[in-house]
Amino acid sequence: MDTHPTNNYTTLEEIQVRKEQLSEAMMNDSEKIAALWNSVFKKQENATRGEYIASIVTHSITAIDAFLLVRKLMKNYSNVLSFFRKPKRGEK
């Protein structure tokens, strides 16, 4: 089921005009996406010492939490993962 509107073009000029409209819309969207992308990864230049320490603590807690999650998953599902491994010599 196609939800895009279908336009019937009768001349090459109509196709060219539509192509230019779409190209312009794509350029505008591209500029918006680039601006948003850059704002996501913008480095905070005037962060205070307290904000800097808070960000280090936050990132450290996130890293520890990820490590503990992986450890817990490996502990609980190691038997599932060992099912896909090739048996070593002498093992059934």
Side-chain angles (χ1 to χ4, degrees):
M1 181 182 261
D2 190 16
T3 59
H4 298 292
T6 57
N7 296 327
N8 295 329
Y9 301 107
T10 55
T11 64
L12 289 176
E13 289 81 22
E14 292 174 351
I15 295 173
Q16 184 66 30
V17 168
R18 181 66 178 151
K19 180 181 173 184
E20 290 171 3
Q21 290 172 347
L22 290 174
S23 177
E24 184 177 329
M26 286 174 54
M27 287 298 293
N28 290 338
D29 290 344
S30 177
E31 291 171 2
K32 289 179 187 177
I33 290 170
L36 289 172
W37 184 261
N38 290 333
S39 70
V40 168
F41 296 105
K42 183 178 177 183
K43 187 175 182 178
Q44 296 179 354
E45 294 178 8
N46 49 352
T48 63
R49 185 169 175 90
E51 290 172 344
Y52 178 71
I53 292 172
S55 71
I56 288 176
V57 170
T58 303
H59 288 106
S60 300
I61 291 172
T62 303
I64 292 169
D65 187 43
F67 172 75
L68 292 175
L69 175 67
V70 169
R71 184 174 169 238
K72 180 180 179 181
L73 291 174
M74 290 299 293
K75 179 181 176 185
N76 290 337
Y77 297 108
S78 64
N79 57 349
V80 175
L81 295 174
S82 66
F83 177 75
F84 294 106
R85 293 185 189 143
K86 291 182 179 180
K88 295 181 182 178
R89 288 186 187 176
E91 292 183 8
K92 281 191 172 183

